[in-house]
Short mmCIF file of all heavy atoms in Angstrom, two decimals:
data_model
loop_
_atom_site.label_atom_id
_atom_site.label_comp_id
_atom_site.label_asym_id
_atom_site.label_seq_id
_atom_site.Cartn_x
_atom_site.Cartn_y
_atom_site.Cartn_z
N TRP A 1 178.22 17.74 -64.48
CA TRP A 1 178.78 18.95 -64.92
C TRP A 1 179.99 19.39 -64.09
O TRP A 1 179.90 19.35 -62.86
CB TRP A 1 177.71 20.08 -64.90
CG TRP A 1 176.76 20.02 -65.94
CD1 TRP A 1 175.49 19.46 -65.96
CD2 TRP A 1 176.89 20.49 -67.30
NE1 TRP A 1 174.86 19.56 -67.18
CE2 TRP A 1 175.72 20.26 -68.03
CE3 TRP A 1 177.92 21.20 -67.96
CZ2 TRP A 1 175.55 20.64 -69.38
CZ3 TRP A 1 177.71 21.60 -69.29
CH2 TRP A 1 176.60 21.29 -69.98
N TYR A 2 181.06 19.71 -64.75
CA TYR A 2 182.29 20.12 -64.10
C TYR A 2 182.60 21.53 -64.53
O TYR A 2 182.08 21.99 -65.61
CB TYR A 2 183.46 19.23 -64.53
CG TYR A 2 183.23 17.76 -64.24
CD1 TYR A 2 182.44 16.96 -65.05
CD2 TYR A 2 183.97 17.10 -63.27
CE1 TYR A 2 182.28 15.63 -64.86
CE2 TYR A 2 183.85 15.73 -63.04
CZ TYR A 2 182.99 15.01 -63.82
OH TYR A 2 182.88 13.65 -63.63
N ARG A 3 183.42 22.23 -63.77
CA ARG A 3 183.81 23.58 -64.22
C ARG A 3 185.26 23.83 -63.84
O ARG A 3 185.80 23.24 -62.82
CB ARG A 3 182.91 24.64 -63.65
CG ARG A 3 183.06 24.86 -62.13
CD ARG A 3 181.99 25.92 -61.72
NE ARG A 3 182.11 26.14 -60.24
CZ ARG A 3 181.28 26.86 -59.57
NH1 ARG A 3 180.22 27.43 -60.21
NH2 ARG A 3 181.46 27.06 -58.19
N GLN A 4 185.94 24.66 -64.56
CA GLN A 4 187.30 25.05 -64.24
C GLN A 4 187.40 26.55 -64.42
O GLN A 4 187.32 27.03 -65.55
CB GLN A 4 188.25 24.30 -65.21
CG GLN A 4 189.71 24.47 -64.77
CD GLN A 4 190.70 23.59 -65.43
OE1 GLN A 4 190.39 22.97 -66.50
NE2 GLN A 4 191.88 23.41 -64.83
N ALA A 5 187.75 27.20 -63.30
CA ALA A 5 187.98 28.61 -63.34
C ALA A 5 189.49 28.87 -63.52
O ALA A 5 190.26 28.02 -63.29
CB ALA A 5 187.51 29.23 -62.02
N PRO A 6 189.80 30.02 -64.00
CA PRO A 6 191.21 30.38 -64.32
C PRO A 6 192.10 30.13 -63.04
O PRO A 6 191.74 30.65 -61.98
CB PRO A 6 191.18 31.85 -64.73
CG PRO A 6 189.87 32.04 -65.25
CD PRO A 6 188.99 31.14 -64.45
N GLY A 7 193.17 29.43 -63.17
CA GLY A 7 194.08 29.18 -62.09
C GLY A 7 193.59 28.21 -61.09
O GLY A 7 194.26 28.02 -60.02
N LYS A 8 192.46 27.57 -61.33
CA LYS A 8 191.94 26.58 -60.34
C LYS A 8 191.83 25.18 -60.99
O LYS A 8 191.78 25.07 -62.22
CB LYS A 8 190.57 27.01 -59.78
CG LYS A 8 190.66 28.30 -59.01
CD LYS A 8 189.37 28.66 -58.39
CE LYS A 8 189.41 29.83 -57.48
NZ LYS A 8 188.14 30.14 -56.87
N GLN A 9 191.66 24.16 -60.15
CA GLN A 9 191.48 22.82 -60.61
C GLN A 9 190.03 22.64 -61.07
O GLN A 9 189.14 23.33 -60.62
CB GLN A 9 191.79 21.82 -59.54
CG GLN A 9 193.33 21.65 -59.24
CD GLN A 9 193.55 20.49 -58.36
OE1 GLN A 9 192.76 20.02 -57.58
NE2 GLN A 9 194.76 19.95 -58.43
N ARG A 10 189.79 21.69 -61.99
CA ARG A 10 188.51 21.40 -62.44
C ARG A 10 187.76 20.77 -61.25
O ARG A 10 188.30 19.98 -60.53
CB ARG A 10 188.55 20.39 -63.56
CG ARG A 10 187.28 20.29 -64.42
CD ARG A 10 187.50 19.47 -65.66
NE ARG A 10 188.46 20.18 -66.58
CZ ARG A 10 188.76 19.75 -67.78
NH1 ARG A 10 188.27 18.62 -68.24
NH2 ARG A 10 189.66 20.42 -68.47
N GLU A 11 186.45 21.16 -61.09
CA GLU A 11 185.68 20.62 -60.01
C GLU A 11 184.31 20.12 -60.44
O GLU A 11 183.77 20.70 -61.46
CB GLU A 11 185.41 21.67 -58.88
CG GLU A 11 184.69 22.90 -59.39
CD GLU A 11 184.28 23.92 -58.28
OE1 GLU A 11 184.27 23.43 -57.09
OE2 GLU A 11 184.03 25.05 -58.57
N LEU A 12 183.79 19.13 -59.81
CA LEU A 12 182.51 18.64 -60.16
C LEU A 12 181.45 19.42 -59.38
O LEU A 12 181.54 19.54 -58.14
CB LEU A 12 182.43 17.13 -59.74
CG LEU A 12 181.05 16.37 -59.92
CD1 LEU A 12 180.71 16.29 -61.37
CD2 LEU A 12 181.18 14.97 -59.26
N VAL A 13 180.44 19.97 -60.08
CA VAL A 13 179.48 20.83 -59.42
C VAL A 13 178.11 20.22 -59.34
O VAL A 13 177.35 20.58 -58.49
CB VAL A 13 179.36 22.21 -60.10
CG1 VAL A 13 180.63 22.96 -60.00
CG2 VAL A 13 178.90 22.07 -61.53
N ALA A 14 177.76 19.24 -60.21
CA ALA A 14 176.51 18.56 -60.18
C ALA A 14 176.56 17.23 -60.86
O ALA A 14 177.29 17.05 -61.87
CB ALA A 14 175.43 19.48 -60.92
N VAL A 15 175.86 16.26 -60.22
CA VAL A 15 175.80 14.91 -60.74
C VAL A 15 174.32 14.47 -60.81
O VAL A 15 173.58 14.79 -59.97
CB VAL A 15 176.49 13.94 -59.75
CG1 VAL A 15 176.49 12.49 -60.32
CG2 VAL A 15 177.93 14.39 -59.54
N ILE A 16 174.01 13.72 -61.87
CA ILE A 16 172.75 13.09 -61.93
C ILE A 16 172.92 11.59 -62.31
O ILE A 16 173.60 11.24 -63.25
CB ILE A 16 171.79 13.82 -62.99
CG1 ILE A 16 170.37 13.25 -62.89
CG2 ILE A 16 172.33 13.78 -64.36
CD1 ILE A 16 169.35 14.09 -63.61
N THR A 17 172.35 10.72 -61.53
CA THR A 17 172.45 9.32 -61.75
C THR A 17 171.61 8.90 -62.92
O THR A 17 170.79 9.63 -63.45
CB THR A 17 172.05 8.49 -60.51
OG1 THR A 17 170.63 8.66 -60.36
CG2 THR A 17 172.80 9.00 -59.23
N LYS A 18 171.80 7.64 -63.32
CA LYS A 18 170.97 7.15 -64.42
C LYS A 18 169.46 7.13 -64.11
O LYS A 18 168.60 7.21 -64.92
CB LYS A 18 171.48 5.76 -64.89
CG LYS A 18 171.37 4.66 -63.82
CD LYS A 18 171.90 3.35 -64.35
CE LYS A 18 171.80 2.24 -63.30
NZ LYS A 18 172.34 0.94 -63.78
N GLY A 19 169.19 7.06 -62.76
CA GLY A 19 167.88 7.02 -62.33
C GLY A 19 167.25 8.39 -62.10
O GLY A 19 166.05 8.48 -61.79
N GLY A 20 168.16 9.40 -62.22
CA GLY A 20 167.63 10.81 -62.06
C GLY A 20 167.88 11.45 -60.75
O GLY A 20 167.42 12.62 -60.57
N SER A 21 168.57 10.78 -59.81
CA SER A 21 168.86 11.39 -58.53
C SER A 21 169.99 12.41 -58.74
O SER A 21 170.97 12.12 -59.46
CB SER A 21 169.28 10.40 -57.52
OG SER A 21 168.18 9.55 -57.26
N ALA A 22 169.91 13.57 -58.06
CA ALA A 22 170.90 14.63 -58.29
C ALA A 22 171.59 14.99 -57.01
O ALA A 22 170.99 14.92 -55.93
CB ALA A 22 170.27 15.85 -58.83
N ASN A 23 172.94 15.39 -57.14
CA ASN A 23 173.68 15.94 -56.01
C ASN A 23 174.44 17.09 -56.52
O ASN A 23 174.81 17.15 -57.71
CB ASN A 23 174.58 14.84 -55.44
CG ASN A 23 173.86 13.88 -54.52
OD1 ASN A 23 173.44 14.22 -53.43
ND2 ASN A 23 173.66 12.68 -55.03
N TYR A 24 174.76 18.02 -55.58
CA TYR A 24 175.38 19.28 -55.95
C TYR A 24 176.51 19.63 -55.02
O TYR A 24 176.49 19.23 -53.82
CB TYR A 24 174.40 20.38 -55.91
CG TYR A 24 173.20 20.19 -56.78
CD1 TYR A 24 172.05 19.54 -56.33
CD2 TYR A 24 173.25 20.55 -58.19
CE1 TYR A 24 170.95 19.30 -57.18
CE2 TYR A 24 172.14 20.31 -59.00
CZ TYR A 24 170.98 19.69 -58.53
OH TYR A 24 170.01 19.44 -59.35
N ALA A 25 177.49 20.31 -55.53
CA ALA A 25 178.50 20.94 -54.67
C ALA A 25 177.84 21.96 -53.80
O ALA A 25 176.84 22.64 -54.21
CB ALA A 25 179.61 21.54 -55.52
N ASP A 26 178.42 22.16 -52.61
CA ASP A 26 177.81 23.14 -51.68
C ASP A 26 177.77 24.55 -52.27
O ASP A 26 176.85 25.31 -52.07
CB ASP A 26 178.58 23.17 -50.35
CG ASP A 26 178.34 21.95 -49.53
OD1 ASP A 26 177.35 21.18 -49.77
OD2 ASP A 26 179.18 21.65 -48.62
N SER A 27 178.71 24.84 -53.10
CA SER A 27 178.82 26.19 -53.75
C SER A 27 177.67 26.48 -54.58
O SER A 27 177.43 27.73 -54.91
CB SER A 27 180.14 26.36 -54.41
OG SER A 27 180.31 25.40 -55.41
N VAL A 28 177.01 25.53 -55.13
CA VAL A 28 175.94 25.75 -56.16
C VAL A 28 174.54 25.25 -55.69
O VAL A 28 173.55 25.44 -56.31
CB VAL A 28 176.27 25.15 -57.49
CG1 VAL A 28 177.59 25.63 -58.02
CG2 VAL A 28 176.21 23.65 -57.48
N LYS A 29 174.53 24.59 -54.54
CA LYS A 29 173.29 24.02 -54.05
C LYS A 29 172.27 25.07 -53.84
O LYS A 29 172.46 26.13 -53.27
CB LYS A 29 173.56 23.28 -52.70
CG LYS A 29 172.58 22.24 -52.31
CD LYS A 29 173.05 21.43 -51.12
CE LYS A 29 174.24 20.57 -51.44
NZ LYS A 29 174.69 19.73 -50.31
N GLY A 30 171.06 24.78 -54.39
CA GLY A 30 169.93 25.74 -54.26
C GLY A 30 169.92 26.71 -55.36
O GLY A 30 168.90 27.48 -55.54
N ARG A 31 170.98 26.75 -56.22
CA ARG A 31 170.95 27.69 -57.38
C ARG A 31 170.99 26.95 -58.68
O ARG A 31 170.46 27.46 -59.65
CB ARG A 31 172.15 28.64 -57.23
CG ARG A 31 172.19 29.46 -55.96
CD ARG A 31 173.34 30.50 -55.99
NE ARG A 31 174.69 29.82 -56.12
CZ ARG A 31 175.53 30.06 -57.07
NH1 ARG A 31 175.26 30.85 -58.09
NH2 ARG A 31 176.71 29.44 -57.03
N PHE A 32 171.66 25.83 -58.70
CA PHE A 32 171.80 25.07 -59.96
C PHE A 32 170.90 23.83 -59.96
O PHE A 32 170.77 23.26 -58.81
CB PHE A 32 173.25 24.66 -60.18
CG PHE A 32 174.21 25.69 -60.44
CD1 PHE A 32 173.92 27.03 -60.38
CD2 PHE A 32 175.52 25.38 -60.90
CE1 PHE A 32 174.83 28.07 -60.67
CE2 PHE A 32 176.44 26.36 -61.20
CZ PHE A 32 176.09 27.62 -61.09
N THR A 33 170.41 23.49 -61.06
CA THR A 33 169.57 22.25 -61.17
C THR A 33 170.10 21.41 -62.36
O THR A 33 170.10 21.99 -63.50
CB THR A 33 168.07 22.57 -61.38
OG1 THR A 33 167.64 23.35 -60.24
CG2 THR A 33 167.26 21.27 -61.40
N ILE A 34 170.45 20.18 -62.19
CA ILE A 34 170.86 19.29 -63.26
C ILE A 34 169.69 18.41 -63.65
O ILE A 34 168.84 18.01 -62.77
CB ILE A 34 172.07 18.47 -62.84
CG1 ILE A 34 172.64 17.71 -64.04
CG2 ILE A 34 171.78 17.50 -61.64
CD1 ILE A 34 173.98 17.03 -63.72
N SER A 35 169.54 18.16 -64.91
CA SER A 35 168.49 17.28 -65.37
C SER A 35 169.01 16.53 -66.66
O SER A 35 170.04 16.88 -67.23
CB SER A 35 167.23 18.03 -65.66
OG SER A 35 167.43 19.00 -66.68
N ARG A 36 168.26 15.48 -67.06
CA ARG A 36 168.73 14.73 -68.20
C ARG A 36 167.53 14.27 -68.99
O ARG A 36 166.40 14.04 -68.45
CB ARG A 36 169.50 13.50 -67.80
CG ARG A 36 168.81 12.45 -66.98
CD ARG A 36 169.79 11.42 -66.43
NE ARG A 36 170.47 10.68 -67.45
CZ ARG A 36 171.58 10.03 -67.24
NH1 ARG A 36 172.18 9.98 -66.09
NH2 ARG A 36 172.15 9.32 -68.22
N ASP A 37 167.70 14.14 -70.33
CA ASP A 37 166.68 13.56 -71.20
C ASP A 37 167.33 12.43 -71.88
O ASP A 37 168.12 12.59 -72.86
CB ASP A 37 166.23 14.66 -72.21
CG ASP A 37 165.06 14.16 -73.05
OD1 ASP A 37 164.90 12.94 -73.28
OD2 ASP A 37 164.37 15.02 -73.60
N ASN A 38 167.07 11.20 -71.41
CA ASN A 38 167.74 10.04 -71.99
C ASN A 38 167.29 9.79 -73.47
O ASN A 38 168.10 9.25 -74.30
CB ASN A 38 167.48 8.74 -71.24
CG ASN A 38 168.16 8.84 -69.86
OD1 ASN A 38 169.11 9.52 -69.69
ND2 ASN A 38 167.70 8.04 -68.86
N ALA A 39 166.16 10.20 -73.84
CA ALA A 39 165.69 10.06 -75.23
C ALA A 39 166.48 10.94 -76.21
O ALA A 39 166.63 10.58 -77.37
CB ALA A 39 164.19 10.39 -75.30
N LYS A 40 167.03 12.03 -75.69
CA LYS A 40 167.76 12.94 -76.50
C LYS A 40 169.28 12.86 -76.21
O LYS A 40 170.04 13.66 -76.75
CB LYS A 40 167.32 14.41 -76.27
CG LYS A 40 165.86 14.68 -76.63
CD LYS A 40 165.51 16.12 -76.50
CE LYS A 40 164.14 16.37 -76.95
NZ LYS A 40 163.73 17.81 -76.75
N ASN A 41 169.67 11.95 -75.32
CA ASN A 41 171.09 11.84 -74.91
C ASN A 41 171.67 13.18 -74.53
O ASN A 41 172.80 13.46 -74.95
CB ASN A 41 171.90 11.24 -76.09
CG ASN A 41 171.70 9.72 -76.25
OD1 ASN A 41 170.95 9.10 -75.55
ND2 ASN A 41 172.45 9.15 -77.13
N THR A 42 170.92 13.90 -73.72
CA THR A 42 171.33 15.23 -73.34
C THR A 42 171.21 15.45 -71.86
O THR A 42 170.21 14.96 -71.28
CB THR A 42 170.48 16.26 -74.09
OG1 THR A 42 170.62 16.07 -75.52
CG2 THR A 42 170.90 17.68 -73.81
N VAL A 43 172.10 16.14 -71.27
CA VAL A 43 172.08 16.55 -69.87
C VAL A 43 172.11 18.08 -69.88
O VAL A 43 172.73 18.74 -70.72
CB VAL A 43 173.24 15.92 -69.11
CG1 VAL A 43 174.59 16.38 -69.54
CG2 VAL A 43 173.07 16.27 -67.62
N TYR A 44 171.37 18.64 -68.92
CA TYR A 44 171.17 20.09 -68.78
C TYR A 44 171.70 20.59 -67.42
O TYR A 44 171.74 19.82 -66.44
CB TYR A 44 169.75 20.48 -68.94
CG TYR A 44 169.11 19.99 -70.24
CD1 TYR A 44 168.36 18.76 -70.24
CD2 TYR A 44 169.26 20.68 -71.39
CE1 TYR A 44 167.80 18.31 -71.39
CE2 TYR A 44 168.64 20.24 -72.58
CZ TYR A 44 167.97 19.01 -72.57
OH TYR A 44 167.37 18.57 -73.75
N LEU A 45 172.04 21.88 -67.39
CA LEU A 45 172.35 22.53 -66.15
C LEU A 45 171.65 23.89 -66.15
O LEU A 45 172.05 24.79 -66.91
CB LEU A 45 173.83 22.68 -65.93
CG LEU A 45 174.25 23.18 -64.52
CD1 LEU A 45 173.89 22.14 -63.44
CD2 LEU A 45 175.75 23.52 -64.44
#
């Protein structure tokens, strides 16, 4: 999941590997959770 605020560059805020491991930008750590459902080809935030 990436985000772009007005006047700012696009930034990566959360990553989930194919195996389900997640990493977060410091600005969202502890508040955002990324997950995925491979059966539905869908990623969530």
Side-chain angles (χ1 to χ4, degrees):
W1 282 98
Y2 303 76
R3 69 184 181 187
Q4 187 167 21
K8 295 188 177 181
Q9 287 191 334
R10 196 170 298 185
E11 62 173 339
L12 177 63
V13 297
V15 180
I16 187 164
T17 67
K18 61 182 181 180
S21 297
N23 281 288
Y24 302 92
D26 287 343
S27 58
V28 306
K29 201 171 293 183
R31 301 187 296 121
F32 289 11
T33 302
I34 188 171
S35 60
R36 65 190 297 162
D37 185 337
N38 289 339
K40 295 183 179 179
N41 283 4
T42 301
V43 61
Y44 304 97
L45 187 67

